[in-house]
Amino acid sequence: MKKIVLGIALGVVAVALMVCAGVGIAMAKSTMKKLDSMQDLCQSMENGVGDLQDKNKELIAYVDEVKAEAEKGDEAEFVTIAGQYEIRDTSAISDAYKSGNTDGLTANEKETLKLAEKVLNEVTKPEMSNYEKELAIFTWIKKNVKHDEGALLAVVDPNVNTYTPYGVLMGKQAVCVGYATTFKLFMNMIGLDCMVMHNTDLYHSWDLVKLDDGEWYLCDLYMDGCGTTPTYNNFNCNSTQFLSGHDWDQDLYPVANGIKYNYANMNAKESTIEQMLAKIKAQMKVKKTNAAYYRLPAGTDAKYISQLASGIQERMNGRIGEGNFETNLTVDENGRYILGALFNYYEYEEPSETQLDADLEKLLNDTFGEVKSDYDHYEEDYCG
Amino acid sequence: MRLNEYTKKALVLITAASMCIGSFTACGSDKGSSDKKDNKSSESSDSNKSAEDDKSYKPAKEIVEAMASSVNTLPELKYVEYADESAQDTFESLCDIDYSLVKDFCIAYSIDTESPAEEILVIRLSSEEEAKENVSMLDERIDRRKKMFMNYKPEFIPIINKAKTDYDGSYLYLIISADSEVISRAFDNSVE
């Protein structure tokens, strides 16, 4: 009996052991499976992390690119000119104009918007093209805002603001930064991209505006014409035209290569060389600031044109003084040269004559001839 | 734990010694504050001495006036001097000399927009050494004025090219005028 019980007990134990072994094996298998799946999971996590790292690198590269563009933009636009005129961002004002929501604007910005809106309503109509609006705004600013001559004094009045749109639209005086930022504000308000550019030594600024043809054009309100008389010789120019009188870091800004809305191209008159020279003589007789553009015959040699422009310039410098005449050259869409001739007569002064004793004057005149200005001499000999 | 008599006595002695050391420290502090009072009185005598020193110098405005009147080619001038309310702001807009070094200054500048370049600036610093060290800041001002006029009114560059800077003792000057040489001699005579 005892043996039977023992045997049964042993059997039960054996079964139990087998069951345990089976369970153990099953558990081991299950654990192995779990380990495998955990391994798979780890692998996929590793892969995922790898993907994330790659994505992270892409994101870092993108952020660096955006940051570099922003810094370039800051370096390109938002600088201080002449050590005192800070170029400020006006996009909040133009955005508010376009959206109709002025909640985020400061009191000063709201006032600026009011002043700018008044001008836009006065000089532009909805049916105008963007070019027509641009020209109307340029003309209004030029005619209504004069140079801040006090800006060149050794001590500048700190209470006079001529470098922000608010100061310019209130006081109707501007330094270059005032003209450029005000023009930019208006361009942004009518939906055009516009940047304020500056020269390499940070002493002058002007505008670069993108028109409907997708091309950039250069405008310098401060330097255009004379005082409050526009001649548009600094309106919608290309880089070649501007490089004769401006310098800038060309890596910072898009190239201005536009032809369609280039002012010289839009306003040039067909002319032979001889006809152009006769007309420039006639311009000189006008004796007030004026500009004209001459489209020369196809095939005119580049070297010949360049020498022609230089020759005219030298003779005008001698006749009416340096700084009172300038030329610029550009090319139309067909490769024909356009020569622009600008007269700034306001700076010309008749030379004063020494008051002499009558006998002495007679002696000098008998010896050397009467005193004549170069201008008079030129008129008699060349203008008829 | 109950302290034995020996331990109690030791603690009392230690406490008493600590209090004595503390009282000596307080005396040291009192002595320090009296030193400060002494310093204040010596500072006061220093500023009195410096005010007396200042009186021995000719005011910068007098020198500038003498320089301006030495020629009759200058346009209408405006004067800003050290005592004016806006003096520091004006000075700091002119040059990068540390204003805390300035003992006196005066500028006479053209207010004629048809002839905007002319100016006469005289500055007095503490010593000849400081004047010598800082005169290059005035040369930098001339460079800035030149760049300004080259961009906007290049016809005035010949005047800027005749600009002069120099120092004599603790005074330094800048002159922008077609007659800078004559005006500089007036400075020399004035500070002799």
Side-chain angles (χ1 to χ4, degrees):
Chain A
M1 189 65 172
K2 278 183 188 174
K3 286 183 183 174
I4 293 167
V5 168
L6 186 59
I8 293 169
L10 284 172
V12 168
V13 167
V15 166
L17 282 172
M18 283 168 66
V19 166
C20 287
V23 167
I25 290 166
M27 281 178 70
K29 279 185 181 172
S30 164
T31 304
M32 289 298 290
K33 274 188 190 166
K34 282 183 181 168
L35 276 174
D36 283 340
S37 46
M38 278 181 71
Q39 221 170 25
D40 290 340
L41 180 63
C42 286
Q43 186 61 50
S44 62
M45 281 176 70
E46 211 176 289
N47 293 341
V49 165
D51 288 342
L52 276 174
Q53 278 179 338
D54 289 340
K55 292 273 184 253
N56 195 37
K57 279 182 194 166
E58 281 176 30
L59 188 61
I60 288 172
Y62 175 70
V63 166
D64 283 346
E65 194 183 315
V66 168
K67 206 170 141 186
E69 278 301 311
E71 281 169 4
K72 191 177 170 184
D74 286 351
E75 189 187 342
E77 279 204 271
F78 304 114
V79 298
T80 299
I81 300 297
Q84 52 187 320
Y85 302 117
E86 186 192 345
I87 297 175
R88 297 179 187 174
D89 188 3
T90 54
S91 55
I93 304 172
S94 49
D95 287 347
Y97 174 75
K98 287 182 280 193
S99 70
N101 181 359
T102 61
D103 288 350
L105 296 185
T106 64
N108 184 281
E109 286 172 335
K110 284 180 184 171
E111 192 55 35
T112 306
L113 176 57
K114 221 191 291 186
L115 291 165
E117 217 169 342
K118 185 167 178 276
V119 173
L120 274 190
N121 292 340
E122 187 182 308
V123 306
T124 66
K125 294 180 174 49
E127 59 269 24
M128 278 175 152
S129 66
N130 280 336
Y131 169 76
E132 287 168 336
K133 288 177 186 174
E134 184 209 8
L135 178 60
I137 290 163
F138 185 97
T139 304
W140 184 91
I141 297 175
K142 194 66 204 170
K143 286 186 172 178
N144 290 278
V145 176
K146 57 181 186 175
H147 290 176
D148 174 12
E149 299 290 352
L152 287 172
L153 299 180
V155 178
V156 172
D157 186 344
N159 298 316
V160 174
N161 174 359
T162 56
Y163 69 102
T164 67
Y166 175 77
V168 169
L169 293 172
M170 284 290 289
K172 302 291 191 327
Q173 282 192 84
V175 291
C176 61
V177 172
Y179 280 112
T181 52
T182 304
F183 186 70
K184 177 188 160 141
L185 171 63
F186 281 123
M187 293 301 100
N188 290 162
M189 286 170 75
I190 64 173
L192 295 177
D193 283 344
C194 185
M195 298 175 72
V196 175
M197 291 177 67
H198 59 83
N199 63 358
T200 46
D201 64 7
L202 289 169
Y203 270 81
H204 185 48
S205 60
W206 60 91
D207 293 284
L208 180 66
V209 59
K210 193 177 191 180
L211 291 171
D212 294 339
D213 59 347
E215 298 288 346
W216 293 92
Y217 295 84
L218 291 157
C219 297
D220 188 342
L221 271 150
Y222 188 98
M223 293 297 186
D224 186 78
C226 151
T228 52
T229 305
T231 55
Y232 308 102
N233 62 304
N234 279 275
F235 174 71
N236 280 10
C237 294
N238 56 42
S239 295
T240 306
Q241 289 170 299
F242 253 45
L243 278 169
S244 60
H246 299 71
D247 74 283
W248 64 91
D249 182 347
Q250 296 185 38
D251 290 335
L252 290 179
Y253 309 100
V255 177
N257 267 341
I259 295 179
K260 183 179 179 185
Y261 296 112
N262 176 274
Y263 188 81
N265 186 39
M266 294 176 84
N267 291 276
K269 302 280 190 287
E270 295 283 342
S271 189
T272 64
I273 302 285
E274 293 74 19
Q275 287 169 340
M276 179 186 72
L277 290 177
K279 285 176 182 171
I280 290 176
K281 268 193 242 172
Q283 267 185 271
M284 188 175 67
K285 286 185 185 180
V286 170
K287 284 195 178 179
K288 65 177 183 180
T289 297
N290 67 91
Y293 300 91
Y294 305 98
R295 196 185 311 271
L296 298 174
T300 308
D301 180 64
K303 190 175 171 186
Y304 179 82
I305 285 287
S306 177
Q307 288 177 344
L308 178 70
S310 298
I312 297 171
Q313 182 73 61
E314 283 166 11
R315 279 149 183 80
M316 287 301 165
N317 288 348
R319 296 297 178 260
I320 63 171
E322 280 198 42
N324 293 325
F325 175 81
E326 64 180 87
T327 61
N328 66 45
L329 276 173
T330 191
V331 173
D332 69 12
E333 60 272 25
N334 298 313
R336 291 175 64 182
Y337 282 98
I338 299 171
L339 188 144
L342 165 71
F343 286 86
N344 277 324
Y345 257 103
Y346 78 106
E347 289 190 19
Y348 178 71
E349 287 178 8
E350 293 284 348
S352 59
E353 292 183 28
T354 309
Q355 296 303 315
L356 297 174
D357 178 79
D359 290 339
L360 180 56
E361 187 169 357
K362 185 175 182 311
L363 175 63
L364 289 168
N365 287 344
D366 287 346
T367 307
F368 299 106
E370 287 186 9
V371 172
K372 288 178 185 176
S373 70
D374 284 338
Y375 178 75
D376 290 337
H377 170 70
Y378 185 82
E379 270 222 82
E380 283 169 17
D381 287 356
Y382 298 103
C383 297
Chain B
M1 182 176 74
R2 293 186 70 181
L3 299 173
N4 62 29
E5 286 301 319
Y6 175 78
T7 307
K8 282 182 188 172
K9 284 177 184 172
L11 280 173
V12 165
L13 279 172
I14 290 166
T15 306
S18 301
M19 287 175 71
C20 286
I21 291 166
S23 69
F24 283 131
T25 307
C27 287
S29 298
D30 287 340
K31 190 177 175 195
S33 66
S34 71
D35 273 350
K36 279 183 188 172
K37 283 179 190 166
D38 286 343
N39 282 344
K40 277 186 185 170
S41 63
S42 74
E43 275 173 12
S44 164
S45 70
D46 276 347
S47 67
N48 282 341
K49 187 177 171 193
S50 134
E52 282 166 9
D53 278 347
D54 281 349
K55 282 178 188 169
S56 67
Y57 289 96
K58 185 177 270 190
K61 187 173 181 192
E62 248 181 68
I63 299 172
V64 169
E65 282 173 338
M67 292 163 81
S69 57
S70 68
V71 294
N72 59 6
T73 53
L74 294 171
E76 189 183 349
L77 301 173
K78 182 171 177 177
Y79 290 74
V80 176
E81 56 178 314
Y82 188 66
D84 291 345
E85 202 180 309
S86 61
Q88 182 169 353
D89 287 341
T90 299
F91 186 88
E92 288 173 346
S93 74
L94 295 173
C95 63
D96 295 329
I97 294 174
D98 184 350
Y99 194 66
S100 65
L101 301 178
V102 176
K103 298 295 176 193
D104 190 12
F105 86 91
C106 178
I107 179 169
Y109 64 96
S110 170
I111 53 170
D112 180 356
T113 55
E114 295 297 316
S115 186
E118 283 88 343
E119 65 182 84
I120 301 170
L121 169 62
V122 169
I123 304 166
R124 181 168 66 82
L125 302 180
S126 295
S127 65
E128 183 172 0
E129 193 183 336
E130 275 182 3
K132 186 179 173 185
E133 280 171 10
N134 283 279
V135 74
S136 61
M137 303 277 195
L138 298 184
D139 293 328
E140 287 170 15
R141 172 164 175 77
I142 293 174
D143 283 341
R144 289 198 292 269
R145 294 296 281 163
K146 196 179 233 180
K147 281 181 183 169
M148 187 71 127
F149 281 95
M150 274 173 62
N151 275 276
Y152 297 105
K153 294 234 183 221
E155 62 267 34
F156 290 100
I157 292 296
I159 293 179
I160 311 283
N161 284 339
K162 289 188 176 178
K164 209 168 146 49
T165 62
D166 207 345
Y167 71 97
D168 185 336
S170 57
Y171 291 99
L172 54 162
Y173 70 79
L174 175 154
I175 304 165
I176 300 181
S177 166
D179 295 315
S180 293
E181 277 300 328
V182 174
I183 297 172
S184 69
R185 286 199 285 275
F187 168 85
D188 295 337
N189 294 336
S190 198
V191 299
E192 267 179 357

